[in-house]
Amino acid sequence: MSNSTLPTLPASDRPEVAARLRDALLGAAFTADGLLDLLGAPAYAALARSETVPALRATRGDTPLETLVRLFLLQQPVPHARVADVLPVAECVESGWLVSVGTDEVAATVDVRPYGGPDGEDWFIVSDLGCAVGGAGGIGSREEGVVLGVGGASTTLAGITVRTPVPAALDLGTGSGIQALHAARHATRVTATDLNPRALHITALTLALSGAPAADLREGSLFEPVRDDETYELIVSNPPFVISPGARLTYRDGGMGGDDLCRSLVQQAGDRLREGGFAQFLANWQHVEGEDWQDRLRSWVPRGCDAWIVQREVQDVTQYAELWLRDAGDHQGDTATYEALYDAWLDEFEARKVKAVGFGWITLRRTDSDAPSITVEEWPHPVEQPLGDTVREHFDRVDYLRARDDAALLAAHFRLADEVIQEQVGLPGAEDPEHVVLRQHRGMRRATKVDTVGAGFAGVCDGTLSAGRILDAIAQLVGEDPVLLRDRTPAQIRLLVEQGFLEPVG
C-alpha cells in the first residue's frame, strides 16, 4: 500500500505541541458546543453531511473561533497574522499541523473536528483532509490509505459498547482512533491495531490532541499483531466490513471473499477474551439463497461464548452496490467506469448467490457455562443510545435465567421495568382487547404481545410478592386452575425477563 500522494502528517512524537494546540483550541471555544453556538443548527447539520457552504457563510468574521473553523474544518487557507492571534503558528508549522501557503497564509494538513465525549469531555478527532465524514458526495478522496473521521458506524459502535472498568482493551482496525479514545476512559491499557500505518499515526494524534493517554499501537491485520498469550476484557472493532469485489479502499474493503472477514473476526475473538469479557463488532453478512441468515450467523459464534446478534438493516444487492459506489465518489466520475464497477459488484453477488446484505451488531461474552446462549434477532426500529448498559444487562439476564428452573422462577420476585407502558388493541366498544402490547420507552424500545394473564402479571409486579403467589391470585380472579396456570406461564415470564420488561428483585 502506498500513501505517496497523501499529505504528510503532523509529527506524532511531539506531545508538547499537541498539548499547546489543544489549549489554544479550547481557549477559542473550538468545541462541539462552541461550533453549534457559532454555526447554528442548520449549518452544523450541513457540515455533518459534508456540505460546507452554510458554514462558510457563518464564518465570515474574524473571531478566533471563526478562524479555527475555516482552518481545520473547512480547510481554507487563512492569513498567517490572523492564525498567529490564536495558535502557536511557528510550532504548528514546524511540527506539521500547518503548512505555509504562498507568502502570507497557512493551511491545515489534517482535519481536526471537535467531538463531545460521553461525560462532556472535549475531544478532537483527526482525519485526512476532506474525510471527516461521508455524505452524498462521497469521502472526497479515493486514495487507498485514506483515514476517515467519525461517521455513523463509529458512533453506533461507541454507543453500544459496554463501559465498565477493565485492565485491558483492544481496538481492532482503529482508523482515526475514536474507539481507542472511548476505551481510554475505562481501560487501564489500550491496544490499537490497523493494517494502515497512516491510521496508527492519526490515532496517536487523536489521542494526544484529546488529552488521552497514549495507546499501544500495532500494525497488522485483525489479530495478527496480537501475541498468542494476550487476552482482553474488551475487544471492539468497526472493521472494513464492506462486501466488495476486491479491496480498493483499505478503510472499508476487507480484501476477503464475501463476508469472510467479519466471520473470521468473530470466530477468532473467543480465544482472545478473558472470562466475562466482551467482544463487540459492527458487521455485514450475506443473505444467501437457500440459507437461513440467522443460522449463518450462529455458525460464526466461537465455542465458550454467549452471543447477542442484532440485524439492524437489510439491503438488496443493487442498493448495497450503489451505496458503496457513492461512498467512494464513483458516481461522480466517468459513466462507463461507474457502470463497469457496478457490474463487477453484481457479478460478485451472483457468483455467491447473494440476494441481500444485512448490517448489524455482534456482541460476544466469554462464559464458562456448558450451555452458551446465542440470540440472533432482527430489530430495525429506533433505539435509545447509548446502549452499553442495555447490552450488559442483556447478558446479566441470560445468567439469571440460565441458573433458574421454572420452580425457582416462580419463587422469585420481579418488578416492572421503568418506562414500560401497556397498549390495548381492539375494536371500539369491544368488551375485551384483541391483544395487549407491552412497550419500552428506553434502551431497545421493544414491544411484545402478551395475553391477559401476562399483562395482569406484569402490572402487579412490584417486588413484594413472588411470581407464584401472583399467579395464584390471578387464577382465583379468572377462575382458572392455579396448577395449570403455574405450568403454562413460566415461558412467558422468561420472555418478559429476557427482553427486559421485568427485572428480578433481590
Side-chain angles (χ1 to χ4, degrees), residues 86-133:
V86 188
L87 301 178
V89 174
E91 284 185 297
C92 288
V93 170
E94 189 271 334
S95 60
W97 289 95
L98 302 177
V99 62
S100 296
V101 178
T103 57
D104 64 348
E105 291 184 318
V106 293
T109 59
V110 288
D111 185 294
V112 175
R113 194 152 301 232
Y115 179 85
D119 292 327
E121 300 94 340
D122 288 316
W123 290 339
F124 299 98
I125 309 301
V126 180
S127 63
D128 272 312
L129 295 174
C131 299
V133 292

Short mmCIF file of all heavy atoms in Angstrom, two decimals, residues 86-133:
data_model
loop_
_atom_site.label_atom_id
_atom_site.label_comp_id
_atom_site.label_asym_id
_atom_site.label_seq_id
_atom_site.Cartn_x
_atom_site.Cartn_y
_atom_site.Cartn_z
N VAL A 86 -4.24 33.19 17.42
CA VAL A 86 -4.97 32.09 18.06
C VAL A 86 -4.05 30.92 18.40
O VAL A 86 -4.17 30.32 19.47
CB VAL A 86 -6.10 31.58 17.13
CG1 VAL A 86 -6.99 30.59 17.88
CG2 VAL A 86 -6.93 32.73 16.58
N LEU A 87 -3.13 30.57 17.49
CA LEU A 87 -2.31 29.37 17.62
C LEU A 87 -0.83 29.71 17.66
O LEU A 87 -0.41 30.75 17.13
CB LEU A 87 -2.57 28.43 16.44
CG LEU A 87 -3.97 27.93 16.19
CD1 LEU A 87 -4.00 27.06 14.94
CD2 LEU A 87 -4.50 27.14 17.39
N PRO A 88 -0.01 28.81 18.25
CA PRO A 88 1.45 28.95 18.14
C PRO A 88 1.89 28.53 16.75
O PRO A 88 2.30 27.38 16.51
CB PRO A 88 1.97 28.00 19.23
CG PRO A 88 0.91 26.96 19.37
CD PRO A 88 -0.39 27.67 19.10
N VAL A 89 1.81 29.45 15.79
CA VAL A 89 1.96 29.11 14.38
C VAL A 89 3.31 28.47 14.07
O VAL A 89 3.40 27.47 13.36
CB VAL A 89 1.74 30.36 13.50
CG1 VAL A 89 2.04 30.04 12.04
CG2 VAL A 89 0.31 30.85 13.64
N ALA A 90 4.38 29.07 14.59
CA ALA A 90 5.71 28.55 14.26
C ALA A 90 5.85 27.09 14.68
O ALA A 90 6.35 26.25 13.91
CB ALA A 90 6.78 29.40 14.95
N GLU A 91 5.40 26.75 15.87
CA GLU A 91 5.48 25.36 16.34
C GLU A 91 4.58 24.45 15.51
O GLU A 91 4.94 23.32 15.20
CB GLU A 91 5.07 25.29 17.81
CG GLU A 91 6.13 25.77 18.78
CD GLU A 91 5.69 25.54 20.21
OE1 GLU A 91 4.67 26.13 20.62
OE2 GLU A 91 6.36 24.76 20.91
N CYS A 92 3.39 24.94 15.16
CA CYS A 92 2.45 24.12 14.39
C CYS A 92 2.99 23.85 12.98
O CYS A 92 2.78 22.76 12.43
CB CYS A 92 1.09 24.80 14.32
SG CYS A 92 0.17 24.77 15.89
N VAL A 93 3.66 24.83 12.38
CA VAL A 93 4.26 24.63 11.06
C VAL A 93 5.45 23.69 11.16
O VAL A 93 5.61 22.75 10.38
CB VAL A 93 4.67 25.98 10.44
CG1 VAL A 93 5.50 25.75 9.18
CG2 VAL A 93 3.43 26.81 10.12
N GLU A 94 6.28 23.92 12.16
CA GLU A 94 7.48 23.10 12.32
C GLU A 94 7.15 21.64 12.60
O GLU A 94 7.84 20.72 12.13
CB GLU A 94 8.34 23.69 13.44
CG GLU A 94 9.73 23.08 13.58
CD GLU A 94 9.75 21.87 14.50
OE1 GLU A 94 8.87 21.80 15.38
OE2 GLU A 94 10.63 21.00 14.33
N SER A 95 6.08 21.39 13.35
CA SER A 95 5.70 20.02 13.69
C SER A 95 4.73 19.41 12.69
O SER A 95 4.37 18.23 12.81
CB SER A 95 5.09 19.96 15.09
OG SER A 95 3.92 20.78 15.16
N GLY A 96 4.27 20.21 11.70
CA GLY A 96 3.48 19.65 10.61
C GLY A 96 1.98 19.77 10.72
O GLY A 96 1.26 19.28 9.84
N TRP A 97 1.45 20.43 11.76
CA TRP A 97 0.00 20.62 11.85
C TRP A 97 -0.48 21.63 10.80
O TRP A 97 -1.60 21.53 10.31
CB TRP A 97 -0.40 21.11 13.24
CG TRP A 97 -0.29 20.07 14.31
CD1 TRP A 97 0.77 19.87 15.15
CD2 TRP A 97 -1.26 19.08 14.67
NE1 TRP A 97 0.53 18.81 16.01
CE2 TRP A 97 -0.72 18.31 15.73
CE3 TRP A 97 -2.52 18.75 14.18
CZ2 TRP A 97 -1.40 17.25 16.32
CZ3 TRP A 97 -3.22 17.70 14.77
CH2 TRP A 97 -2.65 16.96 15.82
N LEU A 98 0.36 22.59 10.49
CA LEU A 98 0.06 23.61 9.49
C LEU A 98 1.16 23.62 8.44
O LEU A 98 2.29 23.17 8.69
CB LEU A 98 -0.05 25.00 10.13
CG LEU A 98 -1.09 25.19 11.25
CD1 LEU A 98 -1.00 26.61 11.82
CD2 LEU A 98 -2.50 24.90 10.74
N VAL A 99 0.84 24.17 7.27
CA VAL A 99 1.81 24.33 6.21
C VAL A 99 1.65 25.72 5.61
O VAL A 99 0.54 26.24 5.50
CB VAL A 99 1.62 23.24 5.12
CG1 VAL A 99 0.25 23.36 4.45
CG2 VAL A 99 2.73 23.31 4.09
N SER A 100 2.76 26.34 5.26
CA SER A 100 2.70 27.67 4.66
C SER A 100 2.17 27.58 3.24
O SER A 100 2.50 26.66 2.48
CB SER A 100 4.10 28.29 4.65
OG SER A 100 4.56 28.50 5.97
N VAL A 101 1.34 28.56 2.89
CA VAL A 101 0.74 28.64 1.56
C VAL A 101 1.02 30.03 1.01
O VAL A 101 0.61 31.03 1.61
CB VAL A 101 -0.77 28.37 1.59
CG1 VAL A 101 -1.36 28.50 0.19
CG2 VAL A 101 -1.06 26.99 2.17
N GLY A 102 1.69 30.11 -0.12
CA GLY A 102 2.02 31.41 -0.68
C GLY A 102 2.95 32.18 0.25
O GLY A 102 3.81 31.61 0.93
N THR A 103 2.76 33.47 0.31
CA THR A 103 3.67 34.32 1.09
C THR A 103 3.14 34.66 2.48
O THR A 103 3.93 34.95 3.38
CB THR A 103 3.94 35.62 0.34
OG1 THR A 103 2.69 36.29 0.08
CG2 THR A 103 4.65 35.33 -0.98
N ASP A 104 1.82 34.64 2.66
CA ASP A 104 1.31 35.12 3.94
C ASP A 104 0.12 34.33 4.47
O ASP A 104 -0.67 34.84 5.27
CB ASP A 104 0.92 36.60 3.82
CG ASP A 104 -0.22 36.82 2.84
OD1 ASP A 104 -0.56 35.86 2.10
OD2 ASP A 104 -0.77 37.94 2.82
N GLU A 105 -0.05 33.07 4.02
CA GLU A 105 -1.16 32.26 4.50
C GLU A 105 -0.66 30.91 5.01
O GLU A 105 0.44 30.46 4.64
CB GLU A 105 -2.20 32.03 3.41
CG GLU A 105 -2.98 33.28 3.02
CD GLU A 105 -4.07 32.98 2.01
OE1 GLU A 105 -3.81 32.20 1.07
OE2 GLU A 105 -5.17 33.53 2.16
N VAL A 106 -1.48 30.27 5.84
CA VAL A 106 -1.20 28.90 6.30
C VAL A 106 -2.46 28.07 6.09
O VAL A 106 -3.58 28.60 6.05
CB VAL A 106 -0.75 28.86 7.78
CG1 VAL A 106 0.59 29.53 7.97
CG2 VAL A 106 -1.81 29.46 8.68
N ALA A 107 -2.25 26.76 5.99
CA ALA A 107 -3.38 25.83 5.83
C ALA A 107 -3.14 24.61 6.71
O ALA A 107 -2.00 24.29 7.07
CB ALA A 107 -3.52 25.41 4.37
N ALA A 108 -4.22 23.92 7.06
CA ALA A 108 -4.12 22.71 7.87
C ALA A 108 -3.68 21.53 7.01
O ALA A 108 -4.01 21.45 5.82
CB ALA A 108 -5.46 22.42 8.53
N THR A 109 -2.96 20.62 7.60
CA THR A 109 -2.56 19.39 6.91
C THR A 109 -3.49 18.23 7.20
O THR A 109 -3.45 17.20 6.52
CB THR A 109 -1.13 18.98 7.31
OG1 THR A 109 -1.08 18.77 8.72
CG2 THR A 109 -0.13 20.06 6.91
N VAL A 110 -4.31 18.38 8.24
CA VAL A 110 -5.29 17.36 8.61
C VAL A 110 -6.59 18.04 9.02
O VAL A 110 -6.62 19.22 9.36
CB VAL A 110 -4.79 16.48 9.79
CG1 VAL A 110 -3.68 15.54 9.37
CG2 VAL A 110 -4.37 17.34 10.98
N ASP A 111 -7.66 17.28 8.97
CA ASP A 111 -8.94 17.74 9.50
C ASP A 111 -8.94 17.50 11.01
O ASP A 111 -8.61 16.41 11.48
CB ASP A 111 -10.09 16.95 8.86
CG ASP A 111 -11.47 17.45 9.26
OD1 ASP A 111 -11.82 17.32 10.45
OD2 ASP A 111 -12.19 17.95 8.39
N VAL A 112 -9.29 18.52 11.77
CA VAL A 112 -9.42 18.39 13.23
C VAL A 112 -10.85 18.77 13.58
O VAL A 112 -11.28 19.90 13.33
CB VAL A 112 -8.43 19.32 13.98
CG1 VAL A 112 -8.68 19.24 15.48
CG2 VAL A 112 -7.00 18.92 13.66
N ARG A 113 -11.59 17.81 14.13
CA ARG A 113 -13.01 18.03 14.37
C ARG A 113 -13.35 17.83 15.85
O ARG A 113 -13.04 16.79 16.43
CB ARG A 113 -13.82 17.04 13.53
CG ARG A 113 -15.29 17.39 13.43
CD ARG A 113 -15.85 16.87 12.14
NE ARG A 113 -15.15 17.44 10.97
CZ ARG A 113 -15.75 18.03 9.95
NH1 ARG A 113 -17.05 18.16 9.95
NH2 ARG A 113 -15.05 18.50 8.94
N PRO A 114 -13.98 18.82 16.48
CA PRO A 114 -14.40 18.66 17.88
C PRO A 114 -15.40 17.51 18.02
O PRO A 114 -16.25 17.30 17.14
CB PRO A 114 -15.05 20.00 18.21
CG PRO A 114 -14.46 20.97 17.25
CD PRO A 114 -14.25 20.19 15.99
N TYR A 115 -15.29 16.80 19.12
CA TYR A 115 -16.16 15.65 19.38
C TYR A 115 -16.44 15.62 20.88
O TYR A 115 -15.50 15.59 21.68
CB TYR A 115 -15.46 14.37 18.93
CG TYR A 115 -16.22 13.09 19.15
CD1 TYR A 115 -17.15 12.64 18.22
CD2 TYR A 115 -16.00 12.30 20.28
CE1 TYR A 115 -17.83 11.45 18.40
CE2 TYR A 115 -16.67 11.11 20.47
CZ TYR A 115 -17.59 10.69 19.53
OH TYR A 115 -18.27 9.51 19.72
N GLY A 116 -17.70 15.65 21.24
CA GLY A 116 -18.06 15.64 22.66
C GLY A 116 -18.06 14.25 23.24
O GLY A 116 -18.75 13.35 22.74
N GLY A 117 -17.27 14.03 24.29
CA GLY A 117 -17.23 12.73 24.96
C GLY A 117 -18.50 12.48 25.74
O GLY A 117 -19.32 13.38 25.98
N PRO A 118 -18.72 11.24 26.21
CA PRO A 118 -19.96 10.86 26.88
C PRO A 118 -20.19 11.58 28.20
O PRO A 118 -21.33 11.70 28.65
CB PRO A 118 -19.82 9.35 27.08
CG PRO A 118 -18.35 9.08 26.99
CD PRO A 118 -17.80 10.09 26.04
N ASP A 119 -19.14 12.03 28.85
CA ASP A 119 -19.28 12.77 30.10
C ASP A 119 -18.92 14.23 29.94
O ASP A 119 -18.47 14.89 30.88
CB ASP A 119 -18.41 12.13 31.19
CG ASP A 119 -18.91 10.75 31.59
OD1 ASP A 119 -20.13 10.53 31.57
OD2 ASP A 119 -18.08 9.89 31.91
N GLY A 120 -19.12 14.74 28.74
CA GLY A 120 -18.86 16.15 28.48
C GLY A 120 -17.42 16.47 28.15
O GLY A 120 -17.05 17.65 28.10
N GLU A 121 -16.59 15.46 27.91
CA GLU A 121 -15.20 15.71 27.55
C GLU A 121 -15.11 16.43 26.21
O GLU A 121 -15.93 16.19 25.30
CB GLU A 121 -14.41 14.40 27.45
CG GLU A 121 -14.37 13.57 28.72
CD GLU A 121 -15.46 12.52 28.75
OE1 GLU A 121 -16.46 12.67 28.00
OE2 GLU A 121 -15.32 11.55 29.51
N ASP A 122 -14.15 17.32 26.07
CA ASP A 122 -13.87 17.98 24.80
C ASP A 122 -12.74 17.24 24.10
O ASP A 122 -11.57 17.37 24.46
CB ASP A 122 -13.50 19.45 25.03
CG ASP A 122 -14.70 20.29 25.45
OD1 ASP A 122 -15.78 20.13 24.84
OD2 ASP A 122 -14.56 21.09 26.39
N TRP A 123 -13.10 16.42 23.13
CA TRP A 123 -12.14 15.64 22.37
C TRP A 123 -12.01 16.20 20.96
O TRP A 123 -12.86 16.98 20.50
CB TRP A 123 -12.59 14.17 22.28
CG TRP A 123 -12.51 13.43 23.57
CD1 TRP A 123 -11.77 13.74 24.67
CD2 TRP A 123 -13.20 12.22 23.90
NE1 TRP A 123 -11.94 12.80 25.66
CE2 TRP A 123 -12.82 11.86 25.22
CE3 TRP A 123 -14.10 11.40 23.23
CZ2 TRP A 123 -13.30 10.72 25.86
CZ3 TRP A 123 -14.59 10.27 23.86
CH2 TRP A 123 -14.19 9.94 25.16
N PHE A 124 -10.95 15.77 20.26
CA PHE A 124 -10.73 16.18 18.88
C PHE A 124 -10.36 14.96 18.05
O PHE A 124 -9.44 14.22 18.41
CB PHE A 124 -9.63 17.24 18.79
CG PHE A 124 -9.94 18.49 19.56
CD1 PHE A 124 -9.43 18.67 20.85
CD2 PHE A 124 -10.76 19.46 19.03
CE1 PHE A 124 -9.73 19.81 21.58
CE2 PHE A 124 -11.07 20.61 19.75
CZ PHE A 124 -10.56 20.78 21.03
N ILE A 125 -11.08 14.76 16.95
CA ILE A 125 -10.82 13.62 16.06
C ILE A 125 -10.06 14.12 14.84
O ILE A 125 -10.51 15.02 14.13
CB ILE A 125 -12.13 12.95 15.62
CG1 ILE A 125 -13.00 12.63 16.85
CG2 ILE A 125 -11.83 11.69 14.82
CD1 ILE A 125 -12.35 11.73 17.86
N VAL A 126 -8.90 13.52 14.61
CA VAL A 126 -8.06 13.88 13.47
C VAL A 126 -8.35 12.91 12.32
O VAL A 126 -8.53 11.70 12.55
CB VAL A 126 -6.57 13.82 13.86
CG1 VAL A 126 -5.68 14.19 12.67
CG2 VAL A 126 -6.29 14.74 15.05
N SER A 127 -8.40 13.42 11.10
CA SER A 127 -8.57 12.57 9.92
C SER A 127 -7.91 13.26 8.74
O SER A 127 -7.45 14.40 8.85
CB SER A 127 -10.05 12.31 9.64
OG SER A 127 -10.73 13.52 9.34
N ASP A 128 -7.88 12.56 7.62
CA ASP A 128 -7.33 13.17 6.41
C ASP A 128 -8.23 14.29 5.93
O ASP A 128 -9.45 14.29 6.18
CB ASP A 128 -7.14 12.11 5.32
CG ASP A 128 -5.80 11.42 5.41
OD1 ASP A 128 -4.79 12.12 5.54
OD2 ASP A 128 -5.76 10.18 5.36
N LEU A 129 -7.64 15.24 5.22
CA LEU A 129 -8.39 16.39 4.71
C LEU A 129 -9.56 15.93 3.85
O LEU A 129 -9.42 15.07 2.98
CB LEU A 129 -7.48 17.29 3.88
CG LEU A 129 -6.33 17.97 4.63
CD1 LEU A 129 -5.42 18.70 3.65
CD2 LEU A 129 -6.85 18.92 5.70
N GLY A 130 -10.73 16.50 4.13
CA GLY A 130 -11.91 16.17 3.35
C GLY A 130 -12.54 14.84 3.70
O GLY A 130 -13.49 14.41 3.02
N CYS A 131 -12.07 14.18 4.73
CA CYS A 131 -12.54 12.83 5.04
C CYS A 131 -13.09 12.71 6.46
O CYS A 131 -13.11 11.62 7.04
CB CYS A 131 -11.40 11.82 4.85
SG CYS A 131 -10.77 11.77 3.18
N ALA A 132 -13.54 13.82 7.02
CA ALA A 132 -14.06 13.76 8.39
C ALA A 132 -15.32 12.91 8.47
O ALA A 132 -15.52 12.15 9.40
CB ALA A 132 -14.35 15.17 8.91
N VAL A 133 -16.19 13.06 7.47
CA VAL A 133 -17.42 12.28 7.42
C VAL A 133 -17.66 11.90 5.97
O VAL A 133 -17.01 12.39 5.06
CB VAL A 133 -18.64 13.06 7.97
CG1 VAL A 133 -18.51 13.28 9.45
CG2 VAL A 133 -18.78 14.41 7.24
#
